[in-house]
Amino acid sequence: GFEVDKQINLIDEKNQLHTIILTEGQILSEVIKELEKIHNTKMRVLSDDEYNERVYNVDYYRDNKLMELDKAKNKDINSDVLYKGNYFQNREVDRNLLTSTIMLYQTLGELPKGFVWISSDNKQIEVTLQDLINIGALMGAKVNEVTIKARNLKDKVIASDDKDYINSITWEG
């Protein structure tokens, strides 16, 4: 049963919310029957989760969706890039290391003989300076592509006042 003086949230067949306060001596099933007669519709008790989902305003959904998209964006940006059959790590620290390595060896004009770059699966891959530049270009293109995708999805979220539409927006598309 329910405690006395407990707020009970109901929903009817027309998708309208009703809130009642069940007081001492009232029996929930009888109160629901009375309301069904008054409103000429069937009703059922909403769980707290169902109620919260229906009641939170659109800003709540918008903020959560924006955080969800940021998390997906960061994960995607930091995922490995594929170059000549090998995957290379693409975290910010990896991009910074690659950029400084390219700048250093471009200044010198060449890489040392037998220079290797470590792949995501820890293999030593012999590379040329042009290979490093190409890997860096892939990393930069990926960051740009993912950032634009995130911006477009976020703009859709920000522009909408429809909770269901906002919830339907996903990173996967």
Side-chain angles (χ1 to χ4, degrees):
F2 292 94
E3 304 164 14
V4 293
D5 295 333
K6 177 171 173 59
Q7 178 176 317
I8 307 294
N9 299 301
L10 307 169
I11 190 161
D12 65 28
E13 293 173 313
K14 298 170 191 164
N15 217 23
Q16 297 295 310
L17 293 176
H18 304 268
T19 300
I20 61 170
I21 303 296
L22 195 63
T23 58
E24 187 174 357
Q26 290 183 306
I27 298 170
L28 180 62
S29 61
E30 291 176 6
V31 173
I32 291 175
K33 281 180 190 175
E34 286 177 40
L35 285 171
E36 288 175 339
K37 283 181 191 174
I38 293 168
H39 294 281
N40 195 29
T41 184
K42 289 284 187 192
M43 296 191 180
R44 69 176 179 82
V45 175
L46 281 176
S47 70
D48 288 343
D49 287 342
E50 286 177 295
Y51 177 78
N52 289 339
E53 186 175 318
R54 291 175 179 277
V55 170
Y56 281 122
N57 68 26
V58 71
D59 291 332
Y60 171 83
Y61 289 91
R62 194 179 289 124
D63 291 345
N64 280 338
K65 184 57 69 171
L66 292 172
M67 286 188 295
E68 175 187 312
L69 291 172
D70 269 338
K71 186 176 178 181
K73 176 191 80 168
N74 293 336
K75 182 179 179 188
D76 208 357
I77 281 177
N78 291 315
S79 64
D80 297 349
V81 295
L82 179 63
Y83 179 72
K84 290 187 176 179
N86 293 295
Y87 285 95
F88 294 92
Q89 290 179 328
N90 188 29
R91 300 164 304 178
E92 185 174 3
V93 66
D94 303 307
R95 294 187 297 271
N96 291 342
L97 178 60
L98 182 64
T99 300
S100 60
T101 301
I102 291 169
M103 290 174 64
L104 171 67
Y105 288 112
Q106 275 183 324
T107 303
L108 296 174
E110 64 182 357
L111 292 175
K113 189 170 176 63
F115 187 86
V116 296
W117 200 255
I118 305 297
S119 67
S120 296
D121 60 355
N122 290 317
K123 288 192 271 181
Q124 295 182 18
I125 309 297
E126 196 163 326
V127 293
T128 65
L129 186 53
Q130 189 59 52
D131 288 329
L132 293 179
I133 292 168
N134 292 344
I135 293 168
L138 285 171
M139 290 175 167
K142 183 173 193 171
V143 169
N144 189 52
E145 174 188 322
V146 169
T147 301
I148 290 169
K149 176 181 177 179
R151 181 73 269 145
N152 290 335
L153 290 172
K154 287 176 173 185
D155 287 346
K156 288 178 182 180
V157 170
I158 291 166
S160 179
D161 287 328
D162 181 336
K163 292 185 227 179
D164 292 331
Y165 176 71
I166 289 169
N167 281 334
S168 75
I169 296 171
T170 63
W171 187 254
E172 292 74 31

